[in-house]
Amino acid sequence: MTTKKQTQVRLNEDVLEAGKAAARSRSLDFNKYVERLIIEDTTGARAAGMTAAQRLIDEHGTFLDDLEQQLDAPYAQQQPGAAA
């Protein structure tokens, strides 16, 4: 079992609130969220994920853009003055 060490971090209030909101949106407590960010950053996991995401966009971006337009088309608002 790993022993946890307590530390103190000083953050601007808006940064702290943004971090707490991000943690809540991931169903994590703030400490676990910060721990996960540090682990992802120091192990290269975040960089690997970003590289994979960029590769997906590079290879399939046009398809994804077209799909998004098709899915949004039924909900496009009619322009003012356009015939019904």
Side-chain angles (χ1 to χ4, degrees):
M1 182 176 188
T2 305
T3 303
K4 298 229 176 188
K5 299 281 276 182
Q6 185 170 343
T7 188
Q8 185 176 22
V9 178
R10 295 180 188 274
L11 302 170
N12 289 332
E13 189 173 338
D14 57 335
V15 173
L16 176 59
E17 290 308 314
K20 286 181 176 182
R24 280 192 303 275
S25 73
R26 290 163 177 80
S27 300
L28 298 171
D29 66 54
F30 183 71
N31 287 324
K32 188 66 175 176
Y33 174 69
V34 171
E35 183 179 48
R36 189 177 282 185
L37 286 176
I38 292 169
I39 290 168
E40 289 174 358
D41 188 52
T42 58
T43 62
R46 182 172 298 276
M50 295 301 289
T51 298
Q54 187 61 56
R55 187 172 54 248
L56 178 74
I57 291 168
D58 292 345
E59 293 176 7
H60 305 288
T62 302
F63 169 77
L64 295 171
D65 289 341
D66 291 344
L67 180 60
E68 182 178 27
Q69 287 178 0
Q70 290 173 20
L71 293 173
D72 287 345
Y75 306 103
Q77 294 203 359
Q78 196 172 27
Q79 296 297 320

